[in-house]
Every structure is written in structure tokens, then in C-alpha cells.
Amino acid sequence: YKIKKISGDASDREFYKIEKNFKSTILVKANKDKFQNLIVYAAINNLLIKNKIKAPELIQEYFSKNMMEIENLGNQSFLEYIKNKKNKLNDYKKLIELIIKLQKIKFKKSIRFKNNKIRINKYNLSELHKESDLFFDWYLKSNSKKKEFNKNKNRIKKELDILYKNLYFQEMCFVHRDFHASNIMVKNKKFGLIDSQDALNGNLLYDVASLIDDVRIKLPRELKSLLFSYYLSKTNKIKNDKEKLLAKNDFDILSVQRNLKILGIFVRLCKRDHKSIYLKYLPYIWKLLELRLKNPIFIDLKYLLNKAVPIKNRKKVKFNDN
């Protein structure tokens, strides 16, 4: 055997590549939350595989030792695969089709895996707020004066609550929840999904927003619009012009929610976990937010965010000790 530690993700897990007889597998070690990071991950992968979606197959479990060995889906992420390609449209269309395939997965409230009962929760109002609260707790707190922080937080949170309650598509479907370029692996021009352990039962537009407004790849605005239109043309769950308009509003709300969450997560990764590399994405995350905030439904939120974090202050992050 040859064992080599490989770069991980934003979680607390560690990943090791194991090579034997010219074949390689991945050893996953969970330093925290073994159930979610190992057992749930293996269970969701199993669900995807049953639905003919490529995901890492469980080879051997060592759950008692906080580890498991899984299939290696290759060394190339979609981020590496796509970044230097001039024509990105066809590859992105395939990913839109993959999202639609995910949305067709039929599952019950809970799934069974190796004597474990695993509940797939709904992406409800509480969950949406729990995620966007990361923006307040980490980003806004680090970039506000103490006396202004609570006032801005309360006003923005109240407006977000109104927007979340206005999400139209209550028909729930399988949501990967982190469908971005670094979690899609490319092998023999075929796509596989990793990092699926946080999957939920949620809104149709969430994974679409995660892909199109991915903070890691700067797609032209025209391509973003083409991909959204392509999704609308392919899904059978959005049936008329009224629903298409409502879908666009849901897309924008979920993109804003997700990118506020990511601002918080990336500052947390820097301040708590000493992973400052993620700070390079902050200016582009704000560009994505500013793009979506052009929708008239955000007139009040846009005003409140501009007041809390003026546009001139968005290119760099300050760390105030509040």
C-alpha cells in the first residue's frame, strides 16, 4: 500500500489516497460528527448510486475507528476541468440535466442503511435562517461597529424572513445542498458527485442557484441566463409563464440566501480554522449578491445591506473584535 494525504474540503474531515496494484481508493477520516460525515454520507451515496447517479461507493467501513474507505472518483474536479475551456455551455447543460435527475429521486422521510435510520430533513424556514445567520455571526460581526451590529442584524433578518416566506415552490425534491464545481468530479468525461452528506428535501431552485452562481467560477451573465432558461425548458415541474417568473424569484432569493451564508462560512474558515485562502472569494460573492439584488423584490434588503456594508467596503474584510 501507498497512503498519501490529499487536500480536503471546508469540513473537519481528512482524506487519504490509498494505492494498491495500480488501483486507488479514498480513506475518509472524520474528526467530528462521525454519524453525519461518514454514515449519512455513505447512505446518501448509496441512494444516488441506486438512482444511477455516480457517487463514491462504500468499499469498507471502519465506523468504530471514525473512518471508511470509498471509491475514488478521480483526481479532476469540474473546477479544474472547466476553468480553461472556452466553450462551457455544453458541459454546464449536462450538469443542469444532472440536477433534474437528482430532483426525480423518490425517497421517503427516512432511509435505512446498515441498521441506521437516516432522516432526510426538509429545507424549512428555520433551516434557511440557521444558514444565513452565519452571515451575521461571522461576516457582519467582523465588519461592523459594535453599536451598529445588532440594529443592522435585526433589520436584515426581518427582511430575509419575509423573503423566505415568499418562496413559491413548496413541492419538495432531493437537494444536494452543495452542488458546486469542487464537489463534481470528472472521470472519462462523466460526472460524479461528492460531499453529499448534507442533502435535504427542498426547493427546486436551490441546486440550480448553487451551480449557476458558484463563487468559484466567474461565468458571464449571458451564460447564467442561458443555463437558467435551459433548466426551465427541461424540467417538467414548472408549467407556465407565471410559474417561470416565480421560479426566477425563488432562484434569486436562494442565491442571495446561499451567498450570505458563504460569506459567513468563509470568514469563519479564516478566523476559526486559519484557512485564509477562502477570503479571496469575498469580492466576487458580493458581485453575485449585487447581481441578484437588482430584482425589485429585494428593494428593502438591498437598502439595508448597503447601509450595513457600504459597497466601498466590500472588497476587503475587516476583523473587528466584537
Side-chain angles (χ1 to χ4, degrees):
Y1 289 93
K2 287 183 181 178
I3 300 178
K4 179 185 177 184
K5 190 171 184 179
I6 55 177
S7 59
D9 52 18
S11 74
D12 293 307
R13 293 171 299 180
E14 295 175 19
F15 298 87
Y16 298 84
K17 187 177 181 180
I18 302 175
E19 292 184 343
K20 184 186 179 186
N21 298 332
F22 303 105
K23 290 184 179 179
S24 69
T25 57
I26 301 294
L27 186 74
V28 186
K29 183 175 184 291
N31 297 315
K32 292 180 182 176
D33 201 355
K34 175 181 76 173
F35 185 78
Q36 185 73 17
N37 284 321
L38 297 180
I39 297 170
V40 174
Y41 184 31
I44 297 295
N45 286 341
N46 191 51
L47 177 66
L48 296 177
I49 292 165
K50 281 183 177 178
N51 284 274
K52 298 181 179 178
I53 294 168
K54 191 66 179 168
E57 188 175 349
L58 179 65
I59 294 170
Q60 186 68 48
E61 55 100 337
Y62 310 99
F63 295 149
S64 63
K65 298 181 187 296
N66 299 335
M67 294 186 291
M68 67 179 178
E69 187 180 1
I70 60 174
E71 179 185 1
N72 184 1
L73 295 190
N75 301 319
Q76 188 179 39
S77 70
F78 184 75
L79 178 63
E80 294 158 331
Y81 169 80
I82 202 70
K83 63 184 178 184
N84 294 321
K85 287 189 81 170
K86 289 184 178 178
N87 185 358
K88 295 178 170 63
L89 180 60
N90 289 334
D91 289 301
Y92 268 95
K93 279 184 173 181
K94 288 177 185 175
L95 291 180
I96 292 288
E97 291 162 13
L98 179 55
I99 289 173
I100 291 170
K101 198 172 179 181
L102 285 172
Q103 293 178 349
K104 289 178 179 177
I105 293 175
K106 292 180 180 177
F107 56 92
K108 297 176 181 177
K109 288 181 181 178
S110 60
I111 56 176
R112 290 209 161 269
F113 180 77
K114 291 189 176 290
N115 299 321
N116 292 287
K117 188 177 180 182
I118 293 155
R119 184 176 176 83
I120 300 180
N121 294 319
K122 285 186 177 180
Y123 226 145
N124 55 24
L125 186 64
S126 172
E127 195 66 36
L128 289 165
H129 275 297
K130 182 181 173 183
E131 292 187 348
S132 52
D133 280 352
L134 292 166
F135 167 75
F136 305 117
D137 297 342
W138 291 94
Y139 183 92
L140 193 62
K141 204 169 191 179
S142 297
N143 289 272
S144 299
K145 292 179 181 177
K146 198 169 186 178
K147 62 182 180 180
E148 296 170 350
F149 170 69
N150 285 327
K151 183 169 69 174
N152 287 331
K153 175 184 175 180
N154 292 336
R155 287 175 175 175
I156 294 169
K157 190 163 181 174
K158 189 175 179 181
E159 184 58 29
L160 287 173
D161 190 62
I162 294 168
L163 290 163
Y164 296 163
K165 285 176 179 174
N166 282 334
L167 285 166
Y168 176 77
F169 284 95
Q170 298 303 320
E171 181 183 347
M172 297 294 184
C173 67
F174 183 94
V175 173
H176 179 278
R177 202 183 186 181
D178 218 6
F179 198 96
H180 62 71
S182 295
N183 284 339
I184 302 157
M185 304 305 292
V186 186
K187 194 173 184 179
N188 301 325
K189 295 187 177 179
K190 291 184 179 178
F191 300 135
L193 288 178
I194 60 171
D195 211 15
S196 309
Q197 69 279 350
D198 294 325
L200 284 173
N201 191 2
N203 188 293
L204 291 168
L205 284 308
Y206 190 90
D207 283 342
V208 183
S210 300
L211 175 68
I212 293 175
D213 281 354
D214 186 347
V215 304
R216 293 157 184 80
I217 301 179
K218 296 179 181 178
L219 294 181
R221 205 175 294 183
E222 300 77 19
L223 180 54
K224 288 177 181 285
S225 297
L226 274 173
L227 291 171
F228 184 74
S229 297
Y230 186 70
Y231 172 77
L232 294 179
S233 72
K234 287 292 181 180
T235 182
N236 60 2
K237 296 179 183 290
I238 298 169
K239 298 178 173 61
N240 52 50
D241 288 342
K242 181 186 175 184
E243 287 197 342
K244 286 179 181 178
L245 177 61
L246 293 165
K248 179 61 169 64
N249 286 344
D250 278 18
F251 174 95
D252 288 345
I253 291 169
L254 292 168
S255 177
V256 166
Q257 184 269 354
R258 178 171 171 78
N259 283 308
L260 286 174
K261 171 182 80 170
I262 292 172
L263 281 173
I265 289 172
F266 284 4
V267 171
R268 182 177 70 183
L269 283 166
C270 177
K271 292 188 76 171
R272 188 191 69 184
D273 304 331
H274 311 294
K275 297 178 180 179
S276 59
I277 189 171
Y278 290 93
L279 294 185
K280 68 181 181 180
Y281 296 111
L282 299 191
Y284 184 59
I285 298 171
W286 273 114
K287 286 201 169 194
L288 289 172
L289 282 164
E290 288 159 13
L291 172 64
R292 299 305 164 200
L293 289 169
K294 290 179 180 179
N295 186 327
I297 63 171
F298 295 117
I299 186 166
D300 292 331
L301 180 63
K302 184 178 179 180
Y303 170 79
L304 292 170
L305 284 172
N306 285 346
K307 199 170 181 184
V309 189
I311 293 173
K312 64 180 181 179
N313 296 342
R314 293 173 182 174
K315 288 187 178 179
K316 55 185 177 180
V317 64
K318 298 176 184 176
F319 288 158
N320 299 327
D321 294 322
N322 286 343

